[in-house]
Amino acid sequence: MADIVQNEWQNKPWECYKDMGICLRGVCCCFPLIMMCDNGKALDRPSGTTMLLALCCPFIAVGLNRAAAREKYGIEGSSGEDWGCAICCGGLANMQTAMEIKAREEVGM
């Protein structure tokens, strides 16, 4: 992804199809839990806490990761949006966060 819009998500939650690797990893077997932990690690969140939350209350791990990504990258939005996405479409929000991390890391952010 060449052009990064600084204060926006690069993809909508339902646009996971744009990266089939992340999309497949986000829906198959235990890979979504691994993705939650990877997202937390990339966002400098405590790995033990993220792992515990991913196993016990995955939507909380997704919400915290999404909020951390929004804060780290200066993305506009609100906690309400983060938690709404995490509760209503946690799998998509998890993949959106992974895609955001990947896009920002590709350009060195």
Side-chain angles (χ1 to χ4, degrees):
M1 199 175 281
D3 297 325
I4 298 287
V5 180
Q6 296 297 327
N7 62 345
E8 294 179 10
W9 291 99
Q10 304 310 301
N11 297 288
K12 304 293 183 212
W14 56 87
E15 293 180 326
C16 62
Y17 62 86
K18 290 184 176 180
D19 186 324
M20 288 308 295
I22 287 177
C23 187
L24 291 173
R25 191 170 167 232
V27 296
C28 295
C29 195
C30 64
F31 292 117
L33 298 176
I34 295 169
M35 184 183 290
M36 284 179 222
C37 294
D38 290 345
N39 289 347
K41 183 177 180 180
L43 296 166
D44 302 321
R45 297 201 54 250
S47 58
T49 303
T50 303
M51 185 181 304
L52 182 65
L53 288 172
L55 290 170
C56 298
C57 300
F59 75 91
I60 294 176
V62 171
L64 291 173
N65 284 344
R66 193 173 191 276
R70 196 171 44 77
E71 183 177 321
K72 180 175 181 175
Y73 301 126
I75 299 170
E76 292 181 5
S78 69
S79 295
E81 291 172 3
D82 296 334
W83 290 106
C85 283
I87 292 168
C88 295
C89 51
L92 295 176
N94 190 33
M95 290 183 270
Q96 179 191 33
T97 303
M99 290 174 66
E100 191 70 31
I101 292 166
K102 181 179 177 183
R104 303 285 177 146
E105 286 180 350
E106 284 177 354
V107 296
M109 294 180 78

